[in-house]
């Protein structure tokens, strides 16, 4: 049951993240100030809290000297700052999640007399969010880690990676079976991310990937992943590069 709750919660967040890449948020769901990725961070954090799988941020808060920091942005208007914010939540002791954490880096213009700081779009912005499963789930010690990386670089270049990242080399569906000679099946798409008894969740991941990365050109493939790094990506990874103000 714990495994199913972890998979349900993580699948919900991954689905929300993929959908939100092309969907605007309601005014009541996010703040109206901050960097490019603050709406994504706040939305994801709210959805995680709503699962009821966490003790809350007060259970093991991020140390004050690490929770936030800022420094002047070089080469920009006076008062422009690069800020970082780190938040974490600890999963319930009997639950399927050990920890959720995000780090949000923003480049913010100086506040106006009647408004808060707002994003400098042609500058660096980064959101890194991870959800770690509990290592104590009986019978399944190697569930993947949900990781979301949203990066904007000067020049309006955007890099996006969303994945259930394997912690061990993934087996393939053909493991233990002899492949016919000349079989050119792409083993990369046949790797198993979740234990076979949770095939329904893998089917949901496959459907999300097909919808947003195969049948749509909104999130084009970002380019080849180096061979040494491929084992850290699942077949359902969202990996894309976008450019321009409308990206």
């Amino acid at each position: 049951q714990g495994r199913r709750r972890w998979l349900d919660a993580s699948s919900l967040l991954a689905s929300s993240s993929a959908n939100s890449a092309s969907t605007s948020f309601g005014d009541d769901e996010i703040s109206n100030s901050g960097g490019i990725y603050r709406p994504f961070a706040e939305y994801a954090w709210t959805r995680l809290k709503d699962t009821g799988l966490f003790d809350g941020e007060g259970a093991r808060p991020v140390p004050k000297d690490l929770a936030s920091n800022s420094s002047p942005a070089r080469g920009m208007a006076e008062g422009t700052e690069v800020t970082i914010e780190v938040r974490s939540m600890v999963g319930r002791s009997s639950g399927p999640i050990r920890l959720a954490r995000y780090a949000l880096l923003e480049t913010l213009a100086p506040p106006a007399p009647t408004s808060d700081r707002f994003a400098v779009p042609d500058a660096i912005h980064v959101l890194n969010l991870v959800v770690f499963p509990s290592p104590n789930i009986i019978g399944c010690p190697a569930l993947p880690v949900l990781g979301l990386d949203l990066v904007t670089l000067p020049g309006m270049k955007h890099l996006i990676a969303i994945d259930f990242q394997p912690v061990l080399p993934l087996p393939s569906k053909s493991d233990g079976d002899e492949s016919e000679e000349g079989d050119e099946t792409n083993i990369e798409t046949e790797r198993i991310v979740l234990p076979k008894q949770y095939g329904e969740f893998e089917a949901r991941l496959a459907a999300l990937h097909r919808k947003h990365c195969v049948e749509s050109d909104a999130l084009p493939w970002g380019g080849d992943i180096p061979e040494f790094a491929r084992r850290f990506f699942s077949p359902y990874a969202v990996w894309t590069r976008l450019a321009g103000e409308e990206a």
Side-chain angles (χ1 to χ4, degrees), residues 130-183:
V130 287
V131 181
F132 297 95
S134 170
N136 300 320
I137 299 178
I138 299 174
C140 195
L143 284 171
V145 174
L146 176 61
L148 295 85
D149 287 285
L150 310 179
V151 179
T152 290
L153 301 174
M156 298 301 293
K157 299 176 182 178
H158 313 285
L159 311 177
I160 297 173
I162 304 173
D163 194 19
F164 281 86
Q165 299 170 299
V167 295
L168 295 174
L170 294 178
S172 71
K173 294 179 183 177
S174 60
D175 279 358
D177 300 328
E178 294 186 4
S179 300
E180 296 183 7
E181 186 175 354
D183 184 3

Side-chain angles (χ1 to χ4, degrees), residues 4-5 18 30 51 68-69 90 98 136 159 211 223:
R4 298 183 69 87
R5 292 174 68 197
I30 61 171
T51 65
S68 63
N69 206 342
V90 178
R98 180 174 69 85
N136 300 320
L159 311 177
K211 176 181 177 180

Side-chain angles (χ1 to χ4, degrees), residues 4 7 192 194-206:
R4 298 183 69 87
L7 294 167
I192 300 171
L194 301 172
K196 291 183 179 180
Q197 64 266 38
Y198 299 105
E200 62 181 289
F201 294 99
E202 184 136 358
R204 287 165 62 177
L205 288 177

Side-chain angles (χ1 to χ4, degrees), residues 45 48-49 51-62 87-93 98-100:
W45 213 240
L48 283 171
K49 285 183 176 180
T51 65
L53 297 176
F54 295 91
D55 285 332
E57 295 182 75
R60 193 185 302 166
V62 177
R87 299 174 69 177
S88 68
M89 290 190 294
V90 178
R92 297 187 183 280
S93 58
R98 180 174 69 85
L99 179 75

Side-chain angles (χ1 to χ4, degrees), residues 30-138:
I30 61 171
S31 62
N32 294 320
S33 62
I36 292 174
Y37 296 123
R38 181 163 293 276
F40 293 87
E42 293 184 354
Y43 181 76
W45 213 240
T46 298
R47 297 302 295 267
L48 283 171
K49 285 183 176 180
D50 288 346
T51 65
L53 297 176
F54 295 91
D55 285 332
E57 295 182 75
R60 193 185 302 166
V62 177
K64 289 184 178 180
D65 59 331
L66 299 177
S68 63
N69 206 342
S70 65
S71 64
R74 296 180 180 179
M76 296 189 178
E78 184 177 355
T80 302
E81 290 187 337
V82 177
T83 69
I84 188 167
E85 171 185 300
V86 181
R87 299 174 69 177
S88 68
M89 290 190 294
V90 178
R92 297 187 183 280
S93 58
S94 60
I97 296 178
R98 180 174 69 85
L99 179 75
R101 190 271 298 153
Y102 81 64
L104 179 66
L105 186 147
E106 305 173 293
T107 303
L108 303 176
T114 59
S115 66
D116 295 327
R117 289 182 177 273
F118 59 90
V120 178
D122 191 14
I124 188 168
H125 295 264
V126 179
L127 170 62
N128 169 258
L129 186 150
V130 287
V131 181
F132 297 95
S134 170
N136 300 320
I137 299 178
I138 299 174

